[in-house]
Amino acid sequence: MIWDPAQTAGVQKAVDGFEAKNPKIKVSLQQVPQDQYYTKLDASLGAGEGPDVMWQSSAIPVYVKGGALEPLDSYIKKSGLKLSDYAPIISNLYKINGKQYGIAKDQDTWTFVYNSAVFKKLGMTDVPTNNWTWDDMVKIAKEVKSKQTSSTDVPMSYDRAFNNGVASVIHQLGGKVVDNNKGVVSSPEGTKALTMMKDLQDQGLIPVVANSTDFNPVSALISGTAAMAEIPSWNLSLLSKSTAPAGTFHVVRLPSVNGKWLTDTNGLSYVMNANSAHKDASWKLIQYLTSTEGAVLHAEGGASIPANTAKSTLDAYVTANSNLAGLRDAISAAHQQMYLRTSSEYPPVRGPIPQIESTQMGPFYAGKISASDVGKGIDQIIDKALG
């Protein structure tokens, strides 16, 4: 059971590869919409049922505590699988109380993409590069804005949510979101990051947050409504599969702030149902899907960047998305500077993220709360979550 429709083809391709090598084992792939995934999973696992193998995220501690997932250590030892073959920052997410519960599937990376056709149409000479800074981004966005003629066009999209966008800027400025198990967003770095993000909206460089509920950065890039946008790695395949000519979309790393271009990272894993009636077969599936061969098939079919660190897996991802110019260099630059997403490093924070967005970030972008006060409000929510 998985949730992302954009990755279904890639997962199915890997499943087909597994069945070809294991003809006596039949696998049924079920894609459930993300907003329904955990609700359906909770109901089925709570009834002692559910899928044999499934995706899991930083929500995993809840499932481990509830005894819903099978520890994989004995399977790993018996099969000879090496956890060192996977990105450690992701693999370690699924080691809980000394036991390994998941084998890493992918590793998130945030990138920046610009539509070269739109830049050419506007007569832009400055373009985003792998050496650009936040100030460069603002300068380019202002120039784009000055040349756009449609009231529905926007210069760019930047992830303005707290957990991804704002938190990353805080880290780039040298600050932290959590320190000594306490929220510290009200720090000078936190206040500055919040102000920088709101300035993008107030200068008309990103959509007004209150009016952007239905705004889709990928669709906006494809249509040319947005000239450039911050795009997560799991959505890059949507751009490469569009009908736009090859090279239309150019990928670069995020702009640097204070000399850093930190991007948060997270990754999914494949886990096994503790109540599975097919545990040996389930392990064979997990092992294959996360192997170099399986990861290559995932990438070829259009999935996220594999957590399996074999060179051929990244090669397959870049080749599968060859319509995107600059992809390999952008990913390589992004991978040099990453930190673990706040909601991944501190799973209890995952739950109140919607509360942070609705009670703090929304009013902040609407001009009803100051950056200093919203930082304090976020800290209170984080402190309550961390207990």
Side-chain angles (χ1 to χ4, degrees):
M1 193 162 113
I2 69 171
W3 64 68
D4 188 359
Q7 298 191 56
T8 302
V11 178
Q12 186 64 64
K13 188 169 186 178
V15 166
D16 291 345
F18 172 78
E19 288 187 320
K21 289 201 165 186
N22 299 272
K24 294 183 179 180
I25 302 176
K26 301 301 178 184
V27 181
S28 174
L29 175 60
Q30 181 182 20
Q31 182 263 316
V32 176
Q34 188 167 4
D35 60 352
Q36 302 171 28
Y37 184 84
Y38 281 109
T39 300
K40 186 166 185 175
L41 191 63
D42 292 351
S44 60
L45 293 178
E49 301 171 351
D52 297 289
V53 174
M54 68 207 87
W55 278 4
Q56 192 51 267
S57 66
S58 54
I60 192 171
V62 174
Y63 294 87
V64 171
K65 185 177 180 180
L69 303 182
E70 178 81 0
L72 302 178
D73 302 86
S74 61
Y75 299 92
I76 293 170
K77 184 177 180 179
K78 185 177 180 180
S79 67
L81 180 142
K82 296 179 180 178
L83 292 174
S84 58
D85 290 339
Y86 304 85
I89 195 172
I90 307 302
S91 189
N92 289 338
L93 271 177
Y94 299 99
K95 187 171 186 178
I96 300 172
N97 298 326
K99 295 181 179 180
Q100 193 74 32
Y101 285 90
I103 306 300
K105 169 193 171 289
D106 55 38
Q107 180 170 15
D108 296 349
T109 297
W110 288 83
T111 59
F112 213 91
V113 182
Y114 68 92
N115 186 322
S116 61
V118 171
F119 270 64
K120 182 178 180 180
K121 178 182 177 181
L122 296 177
M124 293 289 297
T125 54
D126 287 341
V127 299
T129 70
N130 280 321
N131 296 316
W132 71 334
T133 67
W134 184 275
D135 289 342
D136 293 331
M137 178 187 74
V138 171
K139 178 174 177 281
I140 292 172
K142 285 182 176 179
E143 186 178 356
V144 168
K145 179 177 171 63
S146 71
K147 295 184 176 184
Q148 288 177 323
T149 57
S150 172
S151 61
T152 59
D153 289 349
V154 294
M156 70 174 186
S157 171
Y158 202 97
D159 193 305
R160 43 68 179 176
F162 171 73
N163 196 34
N164 297 117
V166 174
S168 288
V169 178
I170 292 174
H171 281 272
Q172 286 173 293
L173 291 168
K176 295 181 178 180
V177 173
V178 176
D179 193 23
N180 292 321
N181 220 42
K182 294 285 185 180
V184 289
V185 180
S186 55
S187 66
E189 295 86 358
T191 300
K192 184 175 181 180
L194 286 161
T195 301
M196 289 168 63
M197 198 65 71
K198 187 171 184 292
D199 282 349
L200 296 180
Q201 173 199 257
D202 294 349
Q203 294 177 76
L205 304 183
I206 63 173
V208 175
V209 171
N211 302 330
S212 60
T213 303
D214 297 326
F215 181 82
N216 184 305
V218 172
S219 298
L221 271 177
I222 292 173
S223 68
T225 302
M228 54 186 185
E230 183 186 15
I231 301 292
S233 54
W234 62 89
N235 278 342
L236 288 174
S237 65
L238 297 176
L239 291 174
S240 68
K241 291 178 179 178
S242 74
T243 58
T248 298
F249 302 111
H250 198 114
V251 189
V252 298
R253 66 158 170 80
L254 297 186
S256 63
V257 177
N258 197 31
K260 301 177 181 178
W261 57 87
L262 280 167
T263 168
D264 76 16
T265 190
N266 181 49
L268 306 181
S269 72
Y270 283 106
V271 299
M272 187 193 304
N273 188 340
N275 289 318
S276 172
H278 314 283
K279 290 183 178 178
D280 287 340
S282 296
W283 170 250
K284 287 182 180 179
L285 177 61
I286 291 174
Q287 185 178 7
Y288 181 84
L289 293 178
T290 58
S291 68
T292 298
E293 181 178 335
V296 165
L297 292 173
H298 270 80
E300 288 177 348
S304 292
I305 301 170
N308 183 305
T309 57
K311 180 179 180 298
S312 58
T313 65
L314 181 57
D315 289 345
Y317 180 82
V318 172
T319 299
N321 296 284
S322 60
N323 284 346
L324 305 180
L327 181 59
R328 185 186 296 276
D329 289 343
I331 292 174
S332 297
H335 280 178
Q336 293 172 20
Q337 297 192 22
M338 294 188 295
Y339 74 95
L340 196 59
R341 189 172 302 159
T342 302
S343 57
S344 300
E345 185 173 6
Y346 303 96
V349 175
R350 179 186 174 96
I353 290 296
Q355 181 187 358
I356 289 175
E357 291 299 321
S358 63
T359 67
Q360 302 299 317
M361 298 304 296
F364 169 64
Y365 284 116
K368 298 177 180 179
I369 308 177
S370 69
S372 176
D373 286 343
V374 79
K376 293 175 184 176
I378 292 173
D379 285 345
Q380 290 176 0
I381 294 172
I382 290 175
D383 290 349
K384 183 176 179 180
L386 295 177

